[in-house]
Amino acid sequence: MSKPLSRILARILATPQGVVLITVLVFALVLGIINPAFFSVATLIDLLRNSLVTGIFALGVMMVLASGGIDVSCTAIGAFAMYATMKIVLGVDVDLPIFAFFALSALIGAMLGLFNGLLIGILGLPTLIVTLGTLSLYRGVLLTFLGTTYITTVPREIIAFSRKVLVRMENAAGQMVSLPYSFLVLVGVAAVVAILINSPCSDARSTRSAVRRRRLNASASGSGTSR
């Protein structure tokens, strides 16, 4: 292996995200050797479809982690916002465009997240302790006041939106796979997160800069010691 290539590989393996990337590539290569049909457009579409919910949650948690904190209440906030939105919409029984459902759910989630932020910012409490507490709080409020029954009747706007697809095709096994319009929500969230996390006033950007400076200082210190 040439020196430039080995240097690049060493730099990649020196970061957690690099290790994850190499692990994913090796795992995909092994799956492709076992089943050559894995390397197909249909598989990519299926992976993108299955990453919708997880991807949105992961982007939100990434912002918290990049700013130096941790949030374990995100799943409770997501469930609360989703269930509360359906309860409100079904209760008022008013025809609303699909973006209104997303806006209402995002507003509920933002208010719950703001409550977390106030506890952390004003009281100076650790993020892990706060989000552990609000995880139980939001889940308890959800179960106590909003109920635990499955919602089987949803507005027709949601049904219509769920049936719209960007791409539909047949895989090697003859099964139909499709990428729904809701994938655009993940794309939109990713774009917003990219803008926020790279903004000059972002805590995440400040944290990354601090980490980068510590790494440079550690590298310089190590070089000086070796000399």
Side-chain angles (χ1 to χ4, degrees), residues 37-48 167 169-171 177:
F38 178 78
F39 292 114
S40 65
V41 178
T43 301
L44 177 61
I45 292 175
D46 197 42
L47 290 173
L48 292 176
V167 180
M169 65 181 300
E170 186 175 322
N171 61 15
V177 295

Side-chain angles (χ1 to χ4, degrees), residues 31-108:
L31 287 179
I33 293 174
I34 297 175
N35 183 9
F38 178 78
F39 292 114
S40 65
V41 178
T43 301
L44 177 61
I45 292 175
D46 197 42
L47 290 173
L48 292 176
R49 180 191 182 101
N50 291 327
S51 67
L52 284 176
V53 177
T54 306
I56 292 174
F57 276 115
L59 288 169
V61 173
M62 182 192 69
M63 288 195 65
V64 180
L65 292 174
S67 62
I70 187 169
D71 185 0
V72 296
S73 66
C74 59
T75 53
I77 291 177
F80 190 103
M82 174 185 65
Y83 206 90
T85 299
M86 286 296 97
K87 282 286 190 176
I88 293 172
V89 171
L90 294 174
V92 298
D93 193 21
V94 177
D95 291 335
L96 297 172
I98 188 63
F99 73 85
F101 293 86
F102 290 112
L104 178 58
S105 184
L107 177 62
I108 295 173

Side-chain angles (χ1 to χ4, degrees), residues 59-159:
L59 288 169
V61 173
M62 182 192 69
M63 288 195 65
V64 180
L65 292 174
S67 62
I70 187 169
D71 185 0
V72 296
S73 66
C74 59
T75 53
I77 291 177
F80 190 103
M82 174 185 65
Y83 206 90
T85 299
M86 286 296 97
K87 282 286 190 176
I88 293 172
V89 171
L90 294 174
V92 298
D93 193 21
V94 177
D95 291 335
L96 297 172
I98 188 63
F99 73 85
F101 293 86
F102 290 112
L104 178 58
S105 184
L107 177 62
I108 295 173
M111 295 301 294
L112 298 178
L114 177 62
F115 181 68
N116 285 353
L118 291 175
L119 292 177
I120 296 168
I122 296 178
L123 300 181
L125 299 174
T127 56
L128 178 60
I129 301 302
V130 170
T131 55
L132 275 174
T134 54
L135 167 66
S136 301
L137 173 64
Y138 299 152
R139 187 173 295 172
V141 172
L142 173 63
L143 297 178
T144 303
F145 296 102
L146 295 181
T148 58
T149 57
Y150 286 102
I151 299 178
T152 56
T153 304
V154 297
R156 57 181 176 271
E157 292 85 0
I158 293 182
I159 297 176

Side-chain angles (χ1 to χ4, degrees), residues 7-19 215:
R7 191 179 299 113
I8 294 174
L9 183 60
R11 186 178 303 172
I12 293 175
L13 292 175
T15 62
Q17 57 267 32
V19 174
R215 286 178 178 173

